[in-house]
Amino acid sequence: MAAKLKKGDKVVVLTGKDKGKQGEITQVLPKENKAVVDGVNIVIRHTRQSQASQGGRIPKAAPIQLSNLALLDTNGKATRVGFRFEDGKKVRFAKTTGEAI
């Protein structure tokens, strides 16, 4: 099945502690059905100091379930994603505006 959300998409969080926050998808994990969104679901990781990096408490974006994300359309509102064929190619489009993504 085709992916409804891809890397680089602007999304909004629908549920959880970060509800309402917006961000851009930086990584998609299709096997786990999760995505990493910039600035959302931030966790603290304690890392040991090394020659390459300073140690300490480092904030990091953790993966979030794809079902808790919705795509933002051109108006900045959450929308569902549909598929249609244009010129023989399968294209994603926003259900609210009907525009291709």
Side-chain angles (χ1 to χ4, degrees):
M1 190 171 142
K4 293 184 185 260
L5 297 175
K6 296 182 178 181
K7 181 178 177 179
D9 284 347
K10 301 280 186 196
V11 293
V12 62
V13 179
L14 299 175
T15 59
K17 66 178 184 178
D18 294 321
K19 180 178 180 178
K21 286 189 181 179
Q22 298 177 2
E24 184 176 324
I25 295 179
T26 56
Q27 182 182 13
V28 178
L29 309 166
K31 288 185 180 178
E32 299 174 25
N33 205 27
K34 294 184 176 189
V36 177
V37 181
D38 192 32
V40 175
N41 199 22
I42 300 296
V43 294
I44 301 288
R45 291 286 171 242
H46 295 74
T47 58
R48 185 181 298 247
Q49 184 175 0
S50 67
Q51 287 182 337
S53 66
Q54 179 79 27
R57 299 175 48 172
I58 298 176
K60 178 182 176 184
I64 187 169
Q65 284 283 334
L66 289 175
S67 62
N68 295 337
L69 301 174
L71 187 70
L72 287 175
D73 62 2
T74 53
N75 300 332
K77 293 188 176 184
T79 182
R80 293 188 298 169
V81 178
F83 293 96
R84 64 177 171 222
F85 286 94
E86 292 181 1
D87 301 327
K89 292 186 177 182
K90 194 173 189 179
V91 177
R92 297 184 309 153
F93 73 97
K95 292 257 187 167
T96 55
T97 59
E99 296 176 0
I101 301 169

